[in-house]
Amino acid sequence: MDSGSEGSEGSECLFCGIVRGDVPAEVVHESDRTVAFRDVNPQAPTHVLIIPRRHEPDVAALAVAAPDDVAAIGAAVADIVTGEGLDDGYRVVFNTGASANQTVFHCHAHVLGGRRFDWPPG
Ligand code: 5GP
Ligand code: ZN
């Protein structure tokens, strides 16, 4: 079995398909470690998902397996904020686990902007 960067779930994972280019996506940013694309069901005027090319189920697992990938997600946030004109404020969300409504178990950061956000979140 290929034990490369995608991990064991790679062949069945939607977001690994986007990394490979097998699943179409509106890509807005790429680095050697990350891919960022517009969410198909946007919850704000700007709604971008940043994913590591490496398959890990969530950000905590990614931090253990590949901490440089977590830093790369932060750097991608900065580039997207500049590119999308979100300097007034934005929200970065990692839904993690079923009770937090994570639906795709390939680590991803939601970058949301272009409107006001309430606190506490729903
Ligand atoms: P989660 O609920 O796991 O935090 O976020 C998964 C996100 O992926 C959702 O916001 C959903 O709209 C988005 N999504 C699901 N399937 C696709 C897809 O095929 N393409 C894109 N661009 N986004 C997707
Ligand atoms: Zn994956």
Side-chain angles (χ1 to χ4, degrees):
M1 190 190 112
D2 177 15
S3 59
S5 63
E6 289 179 1
S8 60
E9 298 176 45
S11 59
E12 297 172 13
C13 171
L14 173 67
F15 286 178
C16 283
I18 290 177
V19 170
R20 287 194 302 268
D22 294 344
V23 175
E26 188 179 346
V27 173
V28 298
H29 183 269
E30 286 189 89
S31 72
D32 59 341
R33 293 179 178 273
T34 64
V35 179
F37 51 93
R38 296 198 191 281
D39 196 295
V40 75
N41 182 24
Q43 302 302 311
T46 293
H47 188 169
V48 171
L49 303 175
I50 305 169
I51 65 174
R53 294 182 186 276
R54 177 190 182 97
H55 179 97
E56 295 292 341
D58 56 51
V59 68
L62 186 67
V64 171
D68 287 353
D69 282 12
V70 179
I73 290 172
V77 169
D79 288 346
I80 289 160
V81 165
T82 299
E84 301 282 323
L86 303 181
D87 309 84
D88 281 355
Y90 57 91
R91 187 164 288 178
V92 181
V93 177
F94 291 91
N95 294 326
T96 305
S99 66
N101 278 322
Q102 184 176 3
T103 58
V104 179
F105 288 82
H106 179 131
C107 175
H108 52 282
H110 297 256
V111 180
L112 298 142
R115 66 169 173 85
R116 292 198 63 84
F117 296 97
D118 295 331
W119 194 262

